[in-house]
Amino acid sequence: MYDTILVPTDGSEHADRAAEHALALAAAFDAEVHVLAVADVRAAAGLFSAGGVDSEFVERIEARAREHATATGDLAGDRAVETAVRRGDPSDVILEYAADVDADLLAMGTHGRSGVDRALAGSVTEHVLRRADIPVLTARTTERSAVGDGYDDVLVPTDGSEWAEAAVDHAVAIAERTNARVHAVSVVDIGDISAAEYAPTRELLDHMRDMAQGATDQVARRANEAGVDVTTGVREGRPSAEILDYAAAEGVDLVAMGTRGHGGIRRLLLGSTTERVVRRAEVPVLAVGPGEGA
């Protein structure tokens, strides 16, 4: 599933938390880990870049990036980690480097620093999520996001669609390698039904519940085939809120979700369920695009 994992870092605690999860997955899958720090000279220079910057300034920015890469790499302990520093626009450089090393997973913090080390939330991570053609694990530093002893419970929300199903193989593979339980949950979006021109009939609601149950049953079959314990559930409400509530109530360690594809390029739709979960989750979220299953 994962042979090469790339961890971009800006030296923030959130990037370090993502690195910790990357290292845990690397241990589970015996994957290589690359740590990348990007020296964003243009952002660091700000208004002063109009007249150009001298070599000493560039060297300071690159030295700082090198310190970030080294510090994050040190989290690996005895495990061998490749570190690198590149100059340029962070999201562009991250995607280019991922292609260069043939990475099959990115692990990124969802909040970073401001100023010289540009904030990742709503910026670099969001850009990477929208453009990456490999899965992206996002994490921020919270009490619940600590790696601890690994993963015991992995949540995979599903509605049976292609984009939702793309994450199932990843959830099952991670659960299999870490001896975790998969939680397959489907949410009947009552809000969308209520917004319809006509009030929903009992038959329509029953049909939607049956479809939701069928989607979770499909995940359960795949988990059973892999010898992975699984729990299924159907909930009603706003999808992002229900997913987050379920994750908190069940002590979930990781959420694996699909993202929509658009025009051949994977992106998160503004306001989508996945984007809302990524922004608000207290635990890491693995975003998987269509066609990125096993």
Side-chain angles (χ1 to χ4, degrees):
M1 178 64 68
Y2 307 125
D3 295 317
T4 305
I5 301 174
L6 173 59
V7 184
T9 183
D10 62 356
S12 69
E13 61 180 355
H14 308 289
D16 284 348
R17 181 53 51 87
E20 292 165 3
H21 283 275
L23 291 166
L25 290 172
F29 289 90
D30 193 25
E32 294 181 355
V33 177
H34 291 253
V35 174
L36 172 68
V38 181
D40 190 349
V41 176
R42 177 182 294 183
L47 296 176
F48 299 103
S49 63
V53 294
D54 58 29
S55 59
E56 183 179 350
F57 179 85
V58 174
E59 289 174 1
R60 287 201 305 269
I61 300 305
E62 291 185 338
R64 188 172 185 180
R66 193 171 298 108
E67 290 174 0
H68 294 334
T70 300
T72 300
D74 287 345
L75 296 174
D78 294 334
R79 186 179 189 88
V81 172
E82 293 288 334
T83 62
V85 173
R86 296 289 186 272
R87 190 193 308 175
D89 176 81
S91 57
D92 289 343
V93 173
I94 289 166
L95 293 170
E96 290 168 1
Y97 190 89
D100 288 344
V101 299
D102 197 21
D104 39 34
L105 177 66
L106 275 158
M108 304 182 65
T110 53
H111 290 274
R113 298 175 179 176
S114 58
V116 174
D117 299 317
R118 299 203 325 181
L120 290 179
S123 176
V124 178
T125 299
E126 184 173 296
H127 293 163
V128 171
L129 277 166
R130 291 181 174 181
R131 297 166 57 196
D133 57 6
I134 59 176
V136 180
L137 181 145
T138 61
R140 60 192 179 98
T141 303
T142 69
E143 183 177 349
R144 291 180 54 208
S145 71
V147 175
D149 295 328
Y151 304 118
D152 295 318
D153 295 273
V154 178
L155 170 60
V156 55
T158 181
D159 60 5
S161 65
E162 178 186 359
W163 70 271
E165 289 298 299
V168 175
D169 287 333
H170 291 263
V172 171
I174 292 172
E176 184 178 14
R177 290 296 183 103
T178 61
N179 197 30
R181 173 180 292 272
V182 166
H183 295 251
V185 173
S186 189
V187 180
V188 177
D189 192 343
I190 299 298
D192 279 353
I193 298 175
S194 301
E197 184 177 353
Y198 301 102
T201 63
R202 180 177 296 276
E203 289 77 10
L204 175 59
L205 288 172
D206 288 343
H207 174 66
M208 296 187 71
R209 293 179 184 122
D210 288 343
M211 290 182 62
Q213 186 63 58
T216 61
D217 288 346
Q218 183 175 343
V219 176
R221 286 192 292 271
R222 292 166 70 176
N224 288 332
E225 290 172 358
V228 171
D229 291 338
V230 61
T231 296
T232 64
V234 173
R235 296 168 72 106
E236 297 179 1
R238 288 294 185 184
S240 59
E242 293 297 325
I243 291 166
L244 292 167
D245 286 347
Y246 185 96
E250 298 297 326
V252 165
D253 305 301
L254 174 71
V255 179
M257 298 184 67
T259 65
R260 295 186 185 275
H262 181 76
I265 300 177
R266 184 166 75 105
R267 70 184 181 99
L268 291 178
L269 300 179
L270 183 62
S272 72
T273 297
T274 304
E275 185 172 7
R276 287 171 181 156
V277 172
V278 165
R279 288 180 174 179
R280 295 170 55 197
E282 295 289 316
V283 297
V285 178
L286 177 64
V288 183
E292 292 175 16

